[in-house]
Amino acid sequence: MNNTQSAAHGLAVHALLDALPDEIAVLGPDGTILAVNRAWRRFAARHGAGGAEAVGAVGSNYLAACHQGSTAGQAHAGISAVLAGASERFQMEYALPTAEGERWFGMSVTPLEAGWRGALVAHTDTTERRRAEAGQRIAAIAFDSPEGMMVTDADGIILQVNASFSRITGYSSAEAVGRTPGMLSSGRHDAAFYQGMWAAIGANGRWQGEVWNRRKNGEVYPELLNIAAVRDGSGAVTHYVASLNDITLSKAASDQIKNLAFYDPLTHLPNRRMLLERLAQALPAAHSSGHHGALMIIDLDDFKTLNETLGHSTGDLLLQKVAARLHACLRQGDTVARLGGDEFVVLVEGLSAQQREAGTQCEALAGKVLAALSRPYGLGPHQCHSTPSIGITLFSGGVEQHADEVLAQADIAMYQAKQAGRNGIRFFDQSMQDSISDRVRLENELRHAIDTQQFELYYQLQVNRLHQPVGAEALIRWRQPDGSTVSPARFIPLAEETGMILQLGQWVLESACAQLRAWRSEPAMAALTLAVNVSARQFHQSDFCEQVCSAVQRYGIDPGLLKLELTEGVLLDNTDDTIASMQALRRLGVRFSLDDFGTGYSSLQYLKRLPLDQLKIDQSFVRDLVNDGNDQAIVLTIIAMARSLNLDVIAEGVETDGQCALLGQLGCQSYQGYLFSKPVPAAALARLVQQGIPGAI
Ligand code: C2E
Ligand code: MG
Ligand code: MG
């Protein structure tokens, strides 16, 4: 090769080397860099920062640069071996910290062609390749997860499945690859389901949901399916990756939880919670559609007796049969639920928009239910009869009706049906509801009245045969802030029911004792007895005797002037305890009068055992006494009975001279009523007593 040729050759080699993407250097036998290509120069300029700038420059010694660090030492040994002709090739990979973070390089050192001593060093950036390999390894491990995995191509042909896929579906990889996921289809989902799924994948690139699939052995199972579309750089779908989880167990568990929460385990009917949920949906639906709905509460008559006499398992059997018969009576969309015990509920929707017509439709259905449930039941060896009572309320969802309210209305109607003699149907009516609302309001007001002391005691005079004052009855008055008064006939029973009577009664007792104390210092009043009404709940308190005793002592009054008025109702329960309490109070000196006598059921035998002082003839016998022979006979009997028991008799509600005269003839000894005085405040009573009663002898 002549010089020109060799120069041309040198240029060609340079051009060739410069065109290569790898960084290449030619080393002389001692490691001096004889030539480098463009990639090498660019690399050295970019990464040869600081004092390392000389590294890689032509004329520098490459071996000398490879002295430090473990990989550098390894490179030095490897390159030296190639230069010395001891090795055919040296390769290594090493990491280099760069401005863009750590990068990896592969170095390959090969001897120059024969005749030339030296070596060719080639560097390649292997960072991307290594990352791709790591990614593949991670993907391989991920693919080997406990979830079933399946990769399909864009046409849905299965390319790859993992071991979990085979475990879940029963199909081996060989059986699955080449087919489509359609082989797993259970047939439980319709075309619309799959259309929705593919639409979601198209729009969002993924879909997740529960699907029913079929295993190779034919078993249908639930799985949680996740599908993701894989797209290439241009956005075209290249693959689909699906992961599937067998949720047979967790679905069974959650179904069971749902069952427990929303269904009655005995009859498998929806329970109260589920019913309230459906009702809550039915109300607005009725409102928007304009159609009426109805709620029916069905309670079995005398179920308790059957349960107790034939045993609970027979009772359960009856409930199951009732559930089945109710089901048979209803249309597809109706709901029948069991509230608990022997109470069932039927929710019917889509009745007529006309209230009257809806009522008729509903009544017809209730009649059908009544007939179905009244047929005899074969319960094991027993043949039983059972009848239901049915309460119905219609709803139209207007005026913010609440599910609880509607249920309460049906309940009220059902109780009405029961009270009307069972085996019947009753519709809820608004007036019934109003009286209940009134009651709630009254209860709140009463509570407030107790807190703010809105009560007063009035006194109604009691006179003897000569119409001379002998005592008074204390009658409570509730004066509301606006000045109006509420009758005790209205609020006393409510106070009884709610227990507020205990506080009220205590207050009355204290006030009455305080009044007796005040009368002690007024000669005209000092001998008057004071009757105090005591209600059942108050009397049956365990410390009632102590309360009375303590009040008597505190006010320093003569206990003989205090008369407790009990009603027959009080005396009927807890007979022995009642008698013991009365006797204890009697020993204290307190007296007893039996109020409203004649309206209860007291037998003579029973009355004999009680330490009573007085019978009070109820005003209902006095009212028509003059004209009603029957009432005359009753009053006569009461008086005869009192005499035989050695008791006083007083008549209440005496309004006319005629009544008073007749009572006197029949043997009555004292009177109380408007004829002598209405109940009045203490001061007015005192004036009355001091002025004298008109007609008093
Ligand atoms: P009661 O104990 O039988 O009281 C008699 C009721 O008849 C009183 O009604 C009285 O105002 C009324 N009355 C009296 N004379 C006549 C009359 O000539 N004609 C008519 N038509 N009525 C007459 P009041 O005050 O409304 O009390 C009603 C009931 O409330 C009482 O019946 C009693 O059961 C209860 N009550 C009143 N105050 C108390 C109390 O302090 N404690 C308890 N536990 N109950 C009370
Ligand atoms: Mg009374
Ligand atoms: Mg009375």
Side-chain angles (χ1 to χ4, degrees):
M1 208 185 307
N2 62 32
N3 272 351
T4 325
Q5 272 181 320
S6 103
H9 185 182
L11 273 175
V13 169
H14 269 290
L16 198 62
L17 287 177
D18 281 346
L20 291 174
D22 292 355
E23 295 113 27
I24 294 168
V26 182
L27 303 187
D30 62 348
T32 305
I33 299 178
L34 301 178
V36 298
N37 73 347
R38 185 180 294 145
W40 183 286
R41 275 194 300 279
R42 206 182 295 131
F43 181 81
R46 193 144 29 109
H47 300 297
E53 199 173 335
V55 174
V58 173
S60 68
N61 193 297
Y62 192 66
L63 273 181
C66 297
H67 261 315
Q68 278 135 27
S70 63
T71 48
Q74 200 188 337
H76 188 273
I79 298 168
S80 301
V82 173
L83 288 174
S87 166
E88 273 302 294
R89 188 184 179 87
F90 167 68
Q91 276 184 307
M92 73 173 286
E93 255 190 301
Y94 63 94
L96 196 67
T98 71
E100 304 107 55
E102 185 183 69
R103 293 196 75 83
W104 281 82
F105 296 92
M107 172 161 67
S108 161
V109 184
T110 45
L112 292 179
E113 302 266 316
W116 290 86
R117 292 202 34 231
L120 196 74
V121 179
H123 283 260
T124 320
D125 188 330
T126 57
T127 313
E128 298 308 327
R129 196 202 73 222
R130 287 178 68 95
R131 278 188 193 153
E133 281 171 7
Q136 274 166 14
R137 275 197 301 277
I138 292 167
I141 291 168
F143 200 67
D144 195 21
S145 75
E147 293 187 337
M149 302 281 290
M150 164 171 68
V151 180
T152 73
D153 65 13
D155 297 325
I157 305 295
I158 299 175
L159 302 177
Q160 205 181 348
V161 298
N162 69 354
S164 299
F165 174 95
S166 300
R167 184 175 41 75
I168 294 169
T169 65
Y171 292 101
S172 70
S173 170
E175 287 168 323
V177 170
R179 300 178 66 183
T180 69
M183 71 181 186
L184 301 173
S185 164
S186 65
R188 286 212 189 167
H189 304 285
D190 56 11
F193 176 83
Y194 293 106
Q195 274 162 15
M197 177 171 111
W198 285 110
I201 298 171
N204 316 319
R206 50 176 62 244
W207 179 87
Q208 178 179 323
E210 285 182 17
V211 295
W212 290 96
N213 269 350
R214 188 184 299 277
R215 299 189 220 273
K216 189 179 169 188
N217 66 10
E219 185 191 343
V220 171
Y221 68 100
E223 73 179 23
L224 184 65
L225 179 61
N226 244 302
I227 303 178
V230 181
R231 295 176 196 274
D232 63 13
S234 71
V237 172
T238 57
H239 298 89
Y240 294 103
V241 178
S243 71
L244 35 120
N245 269 303
D246 186 343
I247 51 170
T248 309
L249 277 182
S250 61
K251 189 157 176 66
S254 78
D255 280 355
Q256 200 183 352
I257 289 165
K258 222 189 235 165
N259 261 320
L260 286 176
F262 291 106
Y263 290 90
D264 162 45
L266 178 68
T267 59
H268 304 297
L269 293 179
N271 63 9
R272 173 185 288 268
R273 187 182 292 137
M274 170 94 126
L275 174 85
L276 284 174
E277 231 169 67
R278 294 215 180 144
L279 184 56
Q281 289 165 2
L283 290 171
H287 189 50
S288 56
S289 72
H291 285 282
H292 279 90
L295 195 75
M296 252 183 236
I297 292 196
I298 300 153
D299 189 283
L300 305 185
D301 301 331
D302 300 317
F303 176 73
K304 203 163 156 260
T305 319
L306 178 134
N307 222 7
E308 278 162 10
T309 50
L310 298 181
H312 287 262
S313 55
T314 309
D316 285 354
L317 211 55
L318 175 66
L319 293 174
Q320 287 169 334
K321 297 217 161 175
V322 166
R325 288 189 191 179
L326 278 174
H327 236 313
C329 287
L330 301 177
R331 300 168 308 177
Q332 185 95 65
D334 302 338
T335 298
V336 51
R338 181 174 170 231
L339 290 191
D342 56 344
E343 246 182 20
F344 294 86
V345 175
V346 169
L347 170 63
V348 188
E349 292 178 77
L351 298 173
S352 168
Q354 305 302 321
Q355 187 174 6
R356 186 183 297 265
E357 198 180 339
T360 315
Q361 288 170 331
C362 200
E363 197 165 20
L365 177 62
K368 202 165 128 189
V369 167
L370 191 74
L373 298 192
S374 304
R375 289 200 319 270
Y377 295 83
L379 305 175
H382 309 287
Q383 177 86 356
C384 294
H385 283 270
S386 172
T387 54
S389 294
I390 303 178
I392 307 172
T393 188
L394 290 178
F395 60 83
S396 53
V399 247
E400 311 234 316
Q401 259 182 325
H402 285 290
D404 286 334
E405 260 169 63
V406 175
L407 194 63
Q409 289 178 351
D411 210 38
I412 291 168
M414 190 274 290
Y415 273 104
Q416 287 258 313
K418 277 248 186 285
Q419 277 172 355
R422 296 156 176 243
N423 189 19
I425 300 169
R426 272 282 180 289
F427 274 86
F428 169 78
D429 85 79
Q430 191 56 40
S431 60
M432 211 188 308
Q433 177 61 56
D434 291 346
S435 80
I436 288 168
S437 310
D438 276 358
R439 209 201 95 115
V440 172
R441 186 165 356 99
L442 189 67
E443 186 180 327
N444 291 332
E445 286 172 0
L446 184 58
R447 198 156 272 136
H448 179 67
I450 290 177
D451 293 341
T452 54
Q453 256 308 330
Q454 297 176 9
F455 300 97
E456 294 164 22
L457 267 194
Y458 271 40
Y459 301 88
Q460 188 176 29
L461 192 67
Q462 297 179 333
V463 300
N464 63 12
R465 295 180 72 104
L466 305 174
H467 300 186
Q468 294 160 334
V470 290
E473 178 179 7
L475 292 161
I476 194 168
R477 292 292 175 265
W478 172 6
R479 192 174 302 283
Q480 293 188 307
D482 64 1
S484 62
T485 53
V486 184
S487 160
R490 243 189 110 201
F491 71 82
I492 292 290
L494 182 63
E496 269 269 300
E497 269 174 59
T498 55
M500 289 189 260
I501 192 68
L502 302 183
Q503 258 175 292
L504 272 183
Q506 175 84 38
W507 177 82
V508 170
L509 183 68
E510 294 276 329
S511 308
C513 291
Q515 192 59 61
L516 277 173
R517 167 78 212 199
W519 285 345
R520 257 179 56 164
S521 46
E522 293 177 46
M525 311 298 282
L528 296 183
T529 60
L530 186 53
V532 170
N533 293 283
V534 175
S535 69
R537 199 148 164 185
Q538 190 185 357
F539 183 78
H540 290 304
Q541 293 172 97
S542 56
D543 65 345
F544 182 67
C545 290
E546 282 96 275
Q547 284 178 27
V548 175
C549 186
S550 141
V552 165
Q553 283 170 357
R554 249 178 305 121
Y555 290 97
I557 54 166
D558 172 3
L561 296 180
L562 183 63
K563 195 185 275 180
L564 301 183
E565 284 195 10
L566 306 180
T567 56
E568 289 171 278
V570 177
L571 305 176
L572 280 178
D573 347 307
N574 298 323
T575 317
D576 289 336
D577 287 354
T578 306
I579 294 171
S581 301
M582 286 178 76
Q583 280 167 342
L585 286 163
R586 189 64 188 284
R587 278 194 294 276
L588 193 71
V590 173
R591 314 240 192 126
F592 287 102
S593 179
L594 194 50
D595 203 354
D596 303 342
F597 190 73
T599 57
Y601 312 91
S602 306
S603 70
L604 193 57
Q605 271 323 70
Y606 176 56
L607 286 178
K608 267 188 189 160
R609 300 175 57 200
L610 300 175
L612 287 170
D613 298 277
Q614 187 180 57
L615 296 185
K616 199 169 191 184
I617 300 172
D618 190 68
Q619 50 182 291
S620 60
F621 304 114
V622 176
R623 198 169 299 131
D624 297 324
L625 188 68
V626 176
N627 302 314
D628 190 329
N630 199 31
D631 283 351
Q632 290 169 16
I634 292 171
V635 169
L636 195 60
T637 312
I638 292 174
I639 291 170
M641 197 158 138
R643 217 172 258 147
S644 79
L645 292 168
N646 212 7
L647 302 175
D648 280 353
V649 180
I650 185 170
E652 66 180 347
V654 183
E655 293 183 357
T656 64
D657 287 321
Q659 290 166 342
C660 191
L662 188 49
L663 283 164
Q665 284 168 25
L666 294 173
C668 186
Q669 298 133 336
S670 347
Y671 316 102
Q672 175 184 342
Y674 295 171
L675 178 63
F676 306 100
S677 166
K678 289 199 167 183
V680 291
L685 182 82
R687 273 198 302 278
L688 196 69
V689 170
Q690 270 143 21
Q691 283 163 8
I693 318 296
I697 300 158

